[in-house]
Amino acid sequence: MQHLEIQPQNIKLPEGSIEKQTTTLNLGPTHPATHGVFQNILEMDGERIVSAEQTVGYIHRAFEKLAERRPLYQITPLTDRLNYCSSPINNMGWHMTCEKLLRIQLPKRVDYMRIIIMELARITDHLICNSVVGVDAGAFTGFLYVMQYRELVYEIYEEICGARLTTNIGRIGGFERNFNNTVWTKLEKFLDEYPKALGELDGLLLRNRIFMERTIGAGPISADRALNYGFTGPNLRAAGVDYDVRVHTPYSSYEDFDFIIPTGKTGDCYDRFLVRDEEMKQSLSIIRQAYQKIQEFKGPEAEVFHADVPEYYLPKKEDVYTKMEALIWHFKIIMGEVEMPKGEVYHCVEGGNGELGFYLISDGGRTPYRLHFRRPCFIYYQAYSEITKGSMLSDAVITMSSLNLIAGEMDA
Amino acid sequence: MQSLTNRNKPVDRAPMNFWERLYLPEIFKGMIITLRHLFKRKATIQYPEQKREFSRVWRGLHVLNRDEEGRERCTACGLCALACPAEAITMEAAERELGEENLYREEKYAAKYEINMLRCIFCGLCEEACPKDAVYLSETVAPADYARKKFIYTKEDLLIPNPVTEPEAYAKAKGLEPNENRLTGKR
């Protein structure tokens, strides 16, 4: 210290300023380690976090307000942009909410097709989350390897709906088109190759000492605190509560499927990693079961891809071009002039990172009177300051990616 | 915490054993995995030279369609603009004059038809809403440009080449075999 010209004891603070023991650090809103626009104002004592304060609203897009001005079918593209790692689940959840309001019963085959799409989306979501936990712990390689398999899933979406990320997949009452042969071959290819890739990711991270020591004990939350905050999904299961919407309030014929709910103990990053890892394997088994069930349909049943509801599901294009009746329905549905029942519905699905709920109030008009999205990320982020208090800065970064906080979902 | 279901299965959280604690064996295991990838076929493609094929139902750049006689199909009914969740489409209708029967298919046509590509979210609802097979999303992506103004695509930008006067350009723009239904992907 002798060679320094200015010595700490000689520094004179301006008059009236208070000497502080801690440093204020802005983590975000555009920090490369936060994977999205999250701002955390951290009070740091060296490398330790004394307190953290979150800011929300950096990508607030007023979805709930926008939805009050849109007919039901136009709200689907909005739900794409909530949790964009698993947008098909959001789309399906929204369609199911509408179907609940409109009292539409779906054929079993459509339910199973939806389950395949939703479980594929869950796999991509967990895959990103888990590999990004690896990236934040310093292991970039696994992330690059598994991206190829997410690509396969995206190709399946592309074949069904024509887009990869913001899918807008499915319609109220079913799917926009039947799955073609390419979809099934690609699905088989995925089911075939994916377990190997997952094995590789496990081989790189699961029992690696560096990864284990970085994640064990990082960002833990007890089951009680998690329940108090309103945690759901993998983050709650990692804390030890075996709550899964798919089992407790089955939707889309999930009751026909056999799968287990993995649970952790301490709710730390390693538990969350393990739970997601196991859930991906369970999702694979669900997809296999659903694929088998779909193959069992014979005759005209094997071609069904939407419910028979001409009031809400668009007629075939050929009919629209040639038949008057179909054209009238087409205009009515697109203009949103079909009868909407009055009422309130809440429907929740097990989204990529927790219970994704839609609370829809209809006053009988062409648009919802009010729509609320229950976004799990928003709830996890409330707990972030409590989880990270007292931990190291590097643990805070890894905790954020392990909670699977997605900015698009946090701000609706 | 008591179990809520009978499907509960705790994850394997075994503490590190001796070999894992040694750290090196696991590192070598990881190294073998990465080394094996060195000899695998590469997953990437050399983009501008090599392009991946889009699916037949890909939602790309919009095209305003013509019928087989080269007449514009759009009748300016406004359903696409109504269905658009991003409010990207504007149009102005006009009445067909005598002598314009070879230009427009119906008595009403779109005198002005604009899509703002910066607003468009490529959700495909306009294609679905069109009762005349007049607008569809093609298998190309919207190109980049320098000025915001250039992203407002007018009717001239969107119209497909005339199949009667420029059949080759039409076939190229269409990129599809005839009689293919775009929505079902079936021929």
Side-chain angles (χ1 to χ4, degrees), chain A residues 42-322:
Chain A
L42 307 174
E43 280 298 323
M44 306 286 299
D45 179 13
E47 273 286 296
R48 294 228 170 255
I49 296 168
V50 179
S51 75
E53 195 188 316
Q54 295 89 42
T55 321
V56 293
Y58 274 95
I59 52 167
H60 178 70
R61 291 147 296 174
F63 278 169
E64 289 171 7
K65 197 69 195 166
L66 273 177
E68 289 170 21
R69 291 282 183 181
R70 303 263 182 275
L72 298 183
Y73 73 95
Q74 284 182 25
I75 297 171
T76 324
L78 295 181
T79 61
D80 281 340
R81 286 150 181 82
L82 289 175
N83 180 351
Y84 39 75
C85 289
S86 53
S87 41
I89 302 186
N90 310 346
N91 297 158
M92 299 296 165
W94 170 244
H95 296 320
M96 280 178 233
T97 315
C98 298
E99 282 149 16
K100 212 173 189 176
L101 178 75
L102 306 171
R103 297 196 181 78
I104 299 174
Q105 273 290 326
L106 285 192
K108 279 276 174 191
R109 184 167 188 268
V110 181
D111 277 352
Y112 297 152
M113 280 156 83
R114 283 194 170 172
I115 282 177
I116 290 183
I117 294 299
M118 283 192 285
E119 293 305 319
L120 282 175
R122 194 182 321 285
I123 288 175
T124 55
D125 192 281
H126 287 356
L127 196 60
I128 298 230
C129 178
N130 268 2
S131 53
V132 163
V133 171
V135 171
D136 284 342
F140 201 85
T141 325
F143 175 71
L144 294 177
Y145 292 164
V146 295
M147 276 306 105
Q148 303 170 28
Y149 296 91
R150 189 183 75 155
E151 184 67 23
L152 277 181
V153 177
Y154 277 10
E155 278 176 17
I156 294 173
Y157 299 162
E158 190 186 322
E159 223 34 76
I160 299 163
C161 67
R164 295 149 55 80
L165 192 74
T166 48
T167 46
N168 188 16
I169 196 170
R171 295 290 176 262
I172 297 166
F175 276 92
E176 60 267 58
R177 56 178 73 78
N178 202 354
F179 291 7
N180 56 21
N181 284 333
T182 330
V183 173
W184 297 121
T185 29
K186 282 193 169 153
L187 185 71
E188 275 166 23
K189 188 178 170 214
F190 177 76
L191 290 175
D192 215 35
E193 292 179 7
Y194 177 67
K196 269 180 255 162
L198 198 57
E200 274 186 352
L201 185 70
D202 288 353
L204 286 172
L205 296 176
L206 201 59
R207 301 305 294 178
N208 185 306
R209 185 170 168 183
I210 305 175
F211 184 74
M212 284 176 88
E213 286 187 344
R214 278 298 301 277
T215 50
I216 289 176
I221 187 160
S222 69
D224 276 347
R225 290 305 294 157
L227 282 172
N228 281 350
Y229 271 113
F231 272 38
T232 43
N235 294 346
L236 180 66
R237 291 194 278 277
V241 185
D242 55 339
Y243 175 74
D244 191 319
V245 183
R246 290 175 291 175
V247 175
H248 285 88
T249 46
Y251 53 90
S252 190
S253 302
Y254 262 113
E255 64 274 14
D256 300 356
F257 292 86
D258 194 29
F259 57 97
I260 59 161
I261 308 173
T263 49
K265 268 203 190 82
T266 58
D268 63 3
C269 289
Y270 193 59
D271 261 340
R272 288 193 278 265
F273 182 88
L274 290 173
V275 165
R276 290 212 169 85
D277 199 53
E278 182 57 37
E279 267 182 33
M280 283 195 269
K281 286 166 192 160
Q282 293 305 316
S283 288
L284 270 182
S285 121
I286 295 174
I287 294 173
R288 284 208 184 92
Q289 291 172 40
Y291 185 33
Q292 204 177 7
K293 281 184 206 283
I294 282 179
Q295 282 172 324
E296 279 164 16
F297 289 108
K298 289 281 173 304
E301 261 199 331
E303 289 294 317
V304 177
F305 62 96
H306 62 87
D308 186 23
V309 276
E311 304 91 1
Y312 304 111
Y313 188 86
L314 282 177
K316 268 193 285 184
K317 277 278 173 180
E318 295 89 61
D319 293 349
V320 174
Y321 300 151
T322 51

Side-chain angles (χ1 to χ4, degrees), chain A residues 26-29 37-41 53-56 58 381:
Chain A
N26 267 304
L27 184 70
V37 271
F38 298 97
Q39 191 190 19
N40 283 287
I41 304 162
E53 195 188 316
Q54 295 89 42
T55 321
V56 293
Y58 274 95
Y381 201 46

